[in-house]
């Protein structure tokens, strides 16, 4: 039976002043021109993690690309609708910009990765489902290595309208996000964590995520995402919602928290507005 290891996690955060992620170091002018902003971010984060992990990417034919986005091409859609009303014109690359599978295809072409590639878009569960899909691809011996990339760019008036769909306690910051994660079954050498279990399902009315995960937390709080530390029996959910990249951010935070507090195992979860949940159990590997 395969063991699935997390080899690296890289995140891109918005600049404090502008509120935008700096992608200038990673993208060519034509890439910026032909891609929606969320695809620009995912390509930039892919290039960054590719550069820092040459051994992982030494065999491109074995590597799958799974991208995740919560909202997709919201910038392009709103901009092109406004442009059409103002000028009567529509960009010739409008359709290709808004196709969600363009996100994974662009990454696979740019990095010359020849494994399976597709985009997961299941709302706030997107990045969690993409990691689970990657886990299943390796566990079923369909792929050996998986690059999971997630991004969103949802700003302005339209972004605020989308924000109102979520628990206001979650939404402390809302705009751009980008994250990437590497999954490998080859060896635990150099790994930072191991995925030991996955769950997906639908919660019944008035059912909590904790009963489905079979854990008894000290204080139950209803949030759309979070971390559960198994040894200390504590729930962590003080993080701002970052839409499509949320689970990757939570995994990174969970690993850092476990290392700082000498804990070994935690669960990350996300719950959509329709009470569809996804959860991943992760065991930390000491430095």
């Amino acid at each position: 039976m395969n063991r699935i290891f997390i080899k690296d996690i890289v995140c891109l955060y918005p600049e404090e002043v502008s509120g935008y992620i700096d992608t200038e170091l990673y993208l060519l002018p034509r890439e910026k021109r032909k891609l929606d902003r969320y695809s620009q971010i995912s390509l930039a984060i892919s290039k960054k993690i590719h550069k820092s992990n040459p051994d992982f990417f030494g065999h491109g034919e074995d590597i799958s690309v799974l991208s995740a986005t919560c909202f997709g091409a919201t910038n392009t859609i709103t901009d092109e609708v406004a442009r059409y009303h103002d000028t009567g014109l529509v960009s010739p690359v409008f359709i290709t910009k808004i196709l969600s599978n363009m996100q994974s295809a662009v990454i696979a072409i740019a990095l010359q990765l020849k494994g399976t590639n597709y985009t997961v878009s299941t709302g706030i569960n997107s990045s969690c489902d993409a990691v689970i899909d990657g886990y299943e691809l390796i566990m079923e011996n369909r792929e050996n290595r998986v690059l999971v990339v997630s991004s969103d760019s949802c700003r302005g008036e339209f972004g605020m309208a989308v924000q109102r769909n979520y628990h206001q306690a979650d939404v402390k910051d809302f705009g751009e996000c980008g994250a990437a994660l590497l999954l490998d079954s080859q060896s635990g050498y150099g790994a930072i964590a191991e995925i030991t279990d996955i769950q997906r399902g639908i919660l019944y009315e008035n059912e909590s995520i904790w009963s489905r995960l079979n854990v008894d937390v000290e204080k139950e709080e209803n949030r759309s995402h979070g971390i559960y530390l198994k040894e200390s029996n504590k729930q962590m959910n003080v993080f701002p919602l970052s839409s499509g990249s949320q689970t990757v951010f939570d995994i990174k935070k969970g690993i850092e928290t476990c290392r700082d507090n000498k804990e070994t195992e935690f669960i990350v979860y996300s719950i959509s507005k329709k009470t569809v949940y996804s959860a991943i159990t992760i065991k930390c590997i000491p430095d």
Side-chain angles (χ1 to χ4, degrees):
M1 184 177 179
N2 289 329
R3 297 175 65 188
I4 315 301
F5 298 98
I6 299 173
K7 287 300 183 75
D8 195 13
I9 300 175
V10 175
C11 298
L12 287 179
Y13 303 96
E15 293 181 343
E16 187 173 346
V17 176
S18 69
Y20 288 91
I21 290 173
D22 184 7
T23 59
E24 293 297 320
L25 294 175
Y26 308 101
L27 301 182
L28 302 173
R30 59 181 171 81
E31 292 171 334
K32 291 187 287 185
R33 185 175 65 252
K34 293 184 177 181
L35 298 175
D36 183 85
R37 181 63 180 165
Y38 85 102
S39 290
Q40 292 178 22
I41 295 170
S42 63
L43 181 57
I45 193 74
S46 299
K47 288 183 176 182
K48 184 173 182 178
I49 202 169
H50 180 271
K51 184 177 181 179
S52 59
N53 291 273
D55 292 341
F56 182 91
F57 290 97
H59 304 281
E61 66 275 9
D62 293 334
I63 300 174
S64 171
V65 179
L66 301 184
S67 60
T69 182
C70 187
F71 310 115
T74 55
N75 292 353
T76 293
I77 293 171
T78 53
D79 290 348
E80 287 298 322
V81 168
R83 181 186 183 194
Y84 175 73
H85 282 295
D86 291 342
T87 67
L89 301 175
V90 176
S91 169
V93 294
F94 171 55
I95 299 301
T96 54
K97 274 187 171 184
I98 66 173
L99 293 174
S100 60
N101 272 332
M102 284 291 292
Q103 186 184 22
S104 58
V106 164
I107 296 166
I109 292 169
L111 302 185
Q112 299 182 15
L113 307 179
K114 301 177 183 178
T116 302
N117 75 79
Y118 61 87
T119 299
V120 177
S121 187
T122 53
I124 191 175
N125 294 355
S126 296
S127 58
C128 196
D129 285 337
V131 174
I132 291 175
D133 281 8
Y135 174 94
E136 291 177 336
L137 284 173
I138 296 174
M139 193 61 71
E140 295 167 3
N141 293 311
R142 296 164 61 191
E143 299 289 348
N144 293 319
R145 298 179 179 90
V146 177
L147 164 62
V148 177
V149 185
S150 58
S151 67
D152 266 310
S153 178
C154 193
R155 302 181 57 81
E157 183 180 352
F158 193 86
M160 294 301 294
V162 174
Q163 173 181 321
R164 289 193 289 271
N165 285 292
Y166 296 92
H167 296 293
Q168 291 306 300
D170 281 336
V171 188
K172 298 175 184 175
D173 186 20
F174 207 75
E176 295 197 334
C177 62
L181 175 150
L182 303 179
L183 298 178
D184 193 354
S185 65
Q186 300 300 314
S187 168
Y189 176 75
I192 58 176
E194 179 181 1
I195 297 177
T196 58
D197 193 23
I198 57 171
Q199 278 196 43
R200 284 194 274 209
I202 301 175
L203 300 175
Y204 297 114
E205 186 176 359
N206 299 323
E207 183 183 21
S208 75
I209 182 71
W210 309 113
S211 62
R212 190 63 65 91
L213 297 177
N214 196 30
V215 297
D216 183 21
V217 296
E218 291 180 347
K219 181 182 178 182
E220 291 191 10
E221 295 186 36
N222 294 320
R223 296 289 180 90
S224 55
H225 68 97
I227 301 171
Y228 170 70
L229 302 173
K230 297 188 76 172
E231 281 91 351
S232 58
N233 189 32
K234 291 182 179 179
Q235 179 185 4
M236 299 175 59
N237 53 17
V238 294
F239 327 109
L241 177 69
S242 59
S243 53
S245 296
Q246 188 61 59
T247 294
V248 183
F249 285 164
D250 287 353
I251 290 173
K252 186 174 187 293
K253 183 65 175 179
I255 292 171
E256 292 170 350
T257 301
C258 282
R259 287 180 170 177
D260 290 343
N261 295 279
K262 297 182 179 180
E263 301 210 22
T264 59
E265 200 167 18
F266 65 96
I267 299 172
V268 294
Y269 69 90
S270 62
I271 309 171
S272 75
K273 197 170 183 180
K274 295 183 178 180
T275 65
V276 177
Y277 79 92
S278 301
I280 304 170
T281 304
I282 295 170
K283 183 178 181 180
C284 291
I285 296 176
D287 290 328

